[in-house]
Amino acid sequence: MTSSFHPTERTLMGPGPSDVSPRVLEALGRPTIGHLDPEFVGLMDEIKSLLHYAFQTSNELTLPVSAPGSAGMEACFVNLVSPGDTVIVCQNGVFGGRMKENVERCGGTAVMVEDEWGKPIDIDKVKTAFAENPTTKVLAFVHAETSTGVQSDAKALCQLATDNNALSIVDTVTSVGGINVDIDGWGADAVYSGTQKCLSCVPGISPVSFGPRAVEAIQNRQHKVQSWFLDMQLVMGYWGGNTKRAYHHTAPVNAMYALHESLLTLKEEGLENSWQRHQTHHNALVAGLEAMGLSMVVDKEHRLPQLNLVNLPEGADDAAVRAALLSEYSLEIGAGLGALAGKAWRIGLMGHACNKKNVVLCLSALDNVLSAQGAKINSGVAVDAALATYQ
């Protein structure tokens, strides 16, 4: 007989979703009101203001798309790419490949700049791509590649786009709240993110922001945006300021309560404090993993503190280890993707899950599971090595 669903409580230390803050879960359960209710319209304005803070931008066209990060990605591409446009797409992991798919579905031509998985985007390769494709309209890249745990130089890449009279589309799904995302400082034109990573909110919402050059490009389009739902000129009738809100779609009201609470939590902590917290616990986790005898995939200077890629030790069974962590410790870590499948684990330290307790849990659980499987590790030293970094 079917009954109410009550999931097992997990500690989520994979690539996302991350643990949701109790404050956010409480907000989710507040009474539902209408999506055009004056109180909800006031909340919408507060959400936009809080997104300005999180993104470090004054862009008027900054709002949460009522769908997950993949929809935020699509919103940027369908509004800025028209049939026949040339788009330089940087790929150093899975999500650059999804950008390519979006370009092609918009009728554009994707010029691929590919780098080894686990390495940052090579700026010189992008310069060469622009030199060889002078009519390029857009440069698209991932700031924090979730599949590899590497960050690229967003400011330099956005500057390259500007210098070549192209727009930039930037994926910040894993970066907002965990490392510096500075839309105005970078000069980024279109940016999308997600709520389920370092914001510690429920999945299903994608904050986006479009700068003045992107807005001008949208307004001057010669073709209708292929997606009615994601057409920013229509969406702004609902989310725009200083006007009577026009019905476009029924917003996920309770999920917006949750987003507001998560953004408020981030502002109360402070951006710089949040970035430092992620770095502090990352340092502890890495110290413990390396003491255990494990090695990191990404070079230190390019690692994401919130998404840690670690090579499997000799004798470890990837799927069996993850299954044991889940069944014995209710702890989730992620598998490697693409070229790293079966070779690495992705350990997240995102948002509410980024804390000392989870670092210790992860290291002790990994130690126990790997030892039980006979993997070649240094047992019994990881937790002490991690704790030493906090002193």
mmCIF file with all atom_site columns, all heavy atoms in Angstrom, residues 281 355-362 390:
data_model
loop_
_atom_site.group_PDB
_atom_site.id
_atom_site.type_symbol
_atom_site.label_atom_id
_atom_site.label_alt_id
_atom_site.label_comp_id
_atom_site.label_asym_id
_atom_site.label_entity_id
_atom_site.label_seq_id
_atom_site.pdbx_PDB_ins_code
_atom_site.Cartn_x
_atom_site.Cartn_y
_atom_site.Cartn_z
_atom_site.occupancy
_atom_site.B_iso_or_equiv
_atom_site.pdbx_formal_charge
_atom_site.auth_seq_id
_atom_site.auth_comp_id
_atom_site.auth_asym_id
_atom_site.auth_atom_id
_atom_site.pdbx_PDB_model_num
ATOM 1  N N   . HIS A 1 281 ? 37.326 24.904 5.445  1.00 0.00 ? 281 HIS A N   1
ATOM 2  C CA  . HIS A 1 281 ? 36.946 23.496 5.563  1.00 0.00 ? 281 HIS A CA  1
ATOM 3  C C   . HIS A 1 281 ? 37.498 22.673 4.398  1.00 0.00 ? 281 HIS A C   1
ATOM 4  O O   . HIS A 1 281 ? 37.799 21.478 4.567  1.00 0.00 ? 281 HIS A O   1
ATOM 5  C CB  . HIS A 1 281 ? 35.427 23.375 5.694  1.00 0.00 ? 281 HIS A CB  1
ATOM 6  C CG  . HIS A 1 281 ? 34.894 24.019 6.943  1.00 0.00 ? 281 HIS A CG  1
ATOM 7  N ND1 . HIS A 1 281 ? 35.313 23.653 8.206  1.00 0.00 ? 281 HIS A ND1 1
ATOM 8  C CD2 . HIS A 1 281 ? 34.010 25.039 7.126  1.00 0.00 ? 281 HIS A CD2 1
ATOM 9  C CE1 . HIS A 1 281 ? 34.701 24.394 9.112  1.00 0.00 ? 281 HIS A CE1 1
ATOM 10 N NE2 . HIS A 1 281 ? 33.903 25.241 8.477  1.00 0.00 ? 281 HIS A NE2 1
ATOM 11 N N   . ASN A 1 355 ? 31.048 22.409 6.820  1.00 0.00 ? 355 ASN A N   1
ATOM 12 C CA  . ASN A 1 355 ? 31.316 22.617 8.243  1.00 0.00 ? 355 ASN A CA  1
ATOM 13 C C   . ASN A 1 355 ? 32.264 21.547 8.776  1.00 0.00 ? 355 ASN A C   1
ATOM 14 O O   . ASN A 1 355 ? 32.509 20.528 8.120  1.00 0.00 ? 355 ASN A O   1
ATOM 15 C CB  . ASN A 1 355 ? 30.002 22.633 9.045  1.00 0.00 ? 355 ASN A CB  1
ATOM 16 C CG  . ASN A 1 355 ? 29.212 21.347 8.899  1.00 0.00 ? 355 ASN A CG  1
ATOM 17 O OD1 . ASN A 1 355 ? 29.666 20.274 9.285  1.00 0.00 ? 355 ASN A OD1 1
ATOM 18 N ND2 . ASN A 1 355 ? 28.011 21.435 8.311  1.00 0.00 ? 355 ASN A ND2 1
ATOM 19 N N   . LYS A 1 356 ? 32.787 21.779 9.948  1.00 0.00 ? 356 LYS A N   1
ATOM 20 C CA  . LYS A 1 356 ? 33.785 20.905 10.565 1.00 0.00 ? 356 LYS A CA  1
ATOM 21 C C   . LYS A 1 356 ? 33.225 19.497 10.823 1.00 0.00 ? 356 LYS A C   1
ATOM 22 O O   . LYS A 1 356 ? 33.899 18.490 10.598 1.00 0.00 ? 356 LYS A O   1
ATOM 23 C CB  . LYS A 1 356 ? 34.253 21.538 11.875 1.00 0.00 ? 356 LYS A CB  1
ATOM 24 C CG  . LYS A 1 356 ? 35.425 20.868 12.558 1.00 0.00 ? 356 LYS A CG  1
ATOM 25 C CD  . LYS A 1 356 ? 35.812 21.716 13.778 1.00 0.00 ? 356 LYS A CD  1
ATOM 26 C CE  . LYS A 1 356 ? 37.033 21.169 14.485 1.00 0.00 ? 356 LYS A CE  1
ATOM 27 N NZ  . LYS A 1 356 ? 37.402 22.041 15.639 1.00 0.00 ? 356 LYS A NZ  1
ATOM 28 N N   . LYS A 1 357 ? 31.984 19.439 11.278 1.00 0.00 ? 357 LYS A N   1
ATOM 29 C CA  . LYS A 1 357 ? 31.357 18.142 11.571 1.00 0.00 ? 357 LYS A CA  1
ATOM 30 C C   . LYS A 1 357 ? 31.344 17.251 10.335 1.00 0.00 ? 357 LYS A C   1
ATOM 31 O O   . LYS A 1 357 ? 31.663 16.057 10.414 1.00 0.00 ? 357 LYS A O   1
ATOM 32 C CB  . LYS A 1 357 ? 29.930 18.369 12.080 1.00 0.00 ? 357 LYS A CB  1
ATOM 33 C CG  . LYS A 1 357 ? 29.146 17.089 12.326 1.00 0.00 ? 357 LYS A CG  1
ATOM 34 C CD  . LYS A 1 357 ? 27.713 17.412 12.728 1.00 0.00 ? 357 LYS A CD  1
ATOM 35 C CE  . LYS A 1 357 ? 26.872 16.144 12.834 1.00 0.00 ? 357 LYS A CE  1
ATOM 36 N NZ  . LYS A 1 357 ? 25.451 16.455 13.147 1.00 0.00 ? 357 LYS A NZ  1
ATOM 37 N N   . ASN A 1 358 ? 30.987 17.816 9.190  1.00 0.00 ? 358 ASN A N   1
ATOM 38 C CA  . ASN A 1 358 ? 30.915 17.018 7.965  1.00 0.00 ? 358 ASN A CA  1
ATOM 39 C C   . ASN A 1 358 ? 32.294 16.617 7.463  1.00 0.00 ? 358 ASN A C   1
ATOM 40 O O   . ASN A 1 358 ? 32.462 15.532 6.891  1.00 0.00 ? 358 ASN A O   1
ATOM 41 C CB  . ASN A 1 358 ? 30.161 17.787 6.883  1.00 0.00 ? 358 ASN A CB  1
ATOM 42 C CG  . ASN A 1 358 ? 28.656 17.751 7.103  1.00 0.00 ? 358 ASN A CG  1
ATOM 43 O OD1 . ASN A 1 358 ? 28.169 17.115 8.028  1.00 0.00 ? 358 ASN A OD1 1
ATOM 44 N ND2 . ASN A 1 358 ? 27.924 18.457 6.262  1.00 0.00 ? 358 ASN A ND2 1
ATOM 45 N N   . VAL A 1 359 ? 33.286 17.480 7.639  1.00 0.00 ? 359 VAL A N   1
ATOM 46 C CA  . VAL A 1 359 ? 34.653 17.118 7.263  1.00 0.00 ? 359 VAL A CA  1
ATOM 47 C C   . VAL A 1 359 ? 35.105 15.886 8.045  1.00 0.00 ? 359 VAL A C   1
ATOM 48 O O   . VAL A 1 359 ? 35.634 14.922 7.478  1.00 0.00 ? 359 VAL A O   1
ATOM 49 C CB  . VAL A 1 359 ? 35.621 18.302 7.510  1.00 0.00 ? 359 VAL A CB  1
ATOM 50 C CG1 . VAL A 1 359 ? 37.075 17.847 7.363  1.00 0.00 ? 359 VAL A CG1 1
ATOM 51 C CG2 . VAL A 1 359 ? 35.337 19.436 6.534  1.00 0.00 ? 359 VAL A CG2 1
ATOM 52 N N   . VAL A 1 360 ? 34.873 15.904 9.350  1.00 0.00 ? 360 VAL A N   1
ATOM 53 C CA  . VAL A 1 360 ? 35.280 14.779 10.198 1.00 0.00 ? 360 VAL A CA  1
ATOM 54 C C   . VAL A 1 360 ? 34.493 13.516 9.850  1.00 0.00 ? 360 VAL A C   1
ATOM 55 O O   . VAL A 1 360 ? 35.050 12.424 9.762  1.00 0.00 ? 360 VAL A O   1
ATOM 56 C CB  . VAL A 1 360 ? 35.101 15.148 11.685 1.00 0.00 ? 360 VAL A CB  1
ATOM 57 C CG1 . VAL A 1 360 ? 35.308 13.936 12.582 1.00 0.00 ? 360 VAL A CG1 1
ATOM 58 C CG2 . VAL A 1 360 ? 36.068 16.266 12.077 1.00 0.00 ? 360 VAL A CG2 1
ATOM 59 N N   . LEU A 1 361 ? 33.176 13.665 9.643  1.00 0.00 ? 361 LEU A N   1
ATOM 60 C CA  . LEU A 1 361 ? 32.345 12.514 9.273  1.00 0.00 ? 361 LEU A CA  1
ATOM 61 C C   . LEU A 1 361 ? 32.838 11.885 7.985  1.00 0.00 ? 361 LEU A C   1
ATOM 62 O O   . LEU A 1 361 ? 32.994 10.656 7.886  1.00 0.00 ? 361 LEU A O   1
ATOM 63 C CB  . LEU A 1 361 ? 30.887 12.950 9.115  1.00 0.00 ? 361 LEU A CB  1
ATOM 64 C CG  . LEU A 1 361 ? 29.949 11.920 8.460  1.00 0.00 ? 361 LEU A CG  1
ATOM 65 C CD1 . LEU A 1 361 ? 29.823 10.680 9.319  1.00 0.00 ? 361 LEU A CD1 1
ATOM 66 C CD2 . LEU A 1 361 ? 28.576 12.533 8.183  1.00 0.00 ? 361 LEU A CD2 1
ATOM 67 N N   . CYS A 1 362 ? 33.081 12.706 6.976  1.00 0.00 ? 362 CYS A N   1
ATOM 68 C CA  . CYS A 1 362 ? 33.490 12.190 5.674  1.00 0.00 ? 362 CYS A CA  1
ATOM 69 C C   . CYS A 1 362 ? 34.821 11.443 5.764  1.00 0.00 ? 362 CYS A C   1
ATOM 70 O O   . CYS A 1 362 ? 34.962 10.343 5.226  1.00 0.00 ? 362 CYS A O   1
ATOM 71 C CB  . CYS A 1 362 ? 33.591 13.339 4.679  1.00 0.00 ? 362 CYS A CB  1
ATOM 72 S SG  . CYS A 1 362 ? 34.032 12.827 3.006  1.00 0.00 ? 362 CYS A SG  1
ATOM 73 N N   . TYR A 1 390 ? 42.682 23.345 11.728 1.00 0.00 ? 390 TYR A N   1
ATOM 74 C CA  . TYR A 1 390 ? 41.824 24.321 12.382 1.00 0.00 ? 390 TYR A CA  1
ATOM 75 C C   . TYR A 1 390 ? 42.547 25.073 13.504 1.00 0.00 ? 390 TYR A C   1
ATOM 76 O O   . TYR A 1 390 ? 42.119 26.129 13.926 1.00 0.00 ? 390 TYR A O   1
ATOM 77 C CB  . TYR A 1 390 ? 40.573 23.639 12.958 1.00 0.00 ? 390 TYR A CB  1
ATOM 78 C CG  . TYR A 1 390 ? 39.625 23.093 11.902 1.00 0.00 ? 390 TYR A CG  1
ATOM 79 C CD1 . TYR A 1 390 ? 39.429 21.718 11.769 1.00 0.00 ? 390 TYR A CD1 1
ATOM 80 C CD2 . TYR A 1 390 ? 38.934 23.943 11.054 1.00 0.00 ? 390 TYR A CD2 1
ATOM 81 C CE1 . TYR A 1 390 ? 38.554 21.215 10.808 1.00 0.00 ? 390 TYR A CE1 1
ATOM 82 C CE2 . TYR A 1 390 ? 38.060 23.453 10.078 1.00 0.00 ? 390 TYR A CE2 1
ATOM 83 C CZ  . TYR A 1 390 ? 37.877 22.087 9.990  1.00 0.00 ? 390 TYR A CZ  1
ATOM 84 O OH  . TYR A 1 390 ? 37.011 21.593 9.027  1.00 0.00 ? 390 TYR A OH  1
#
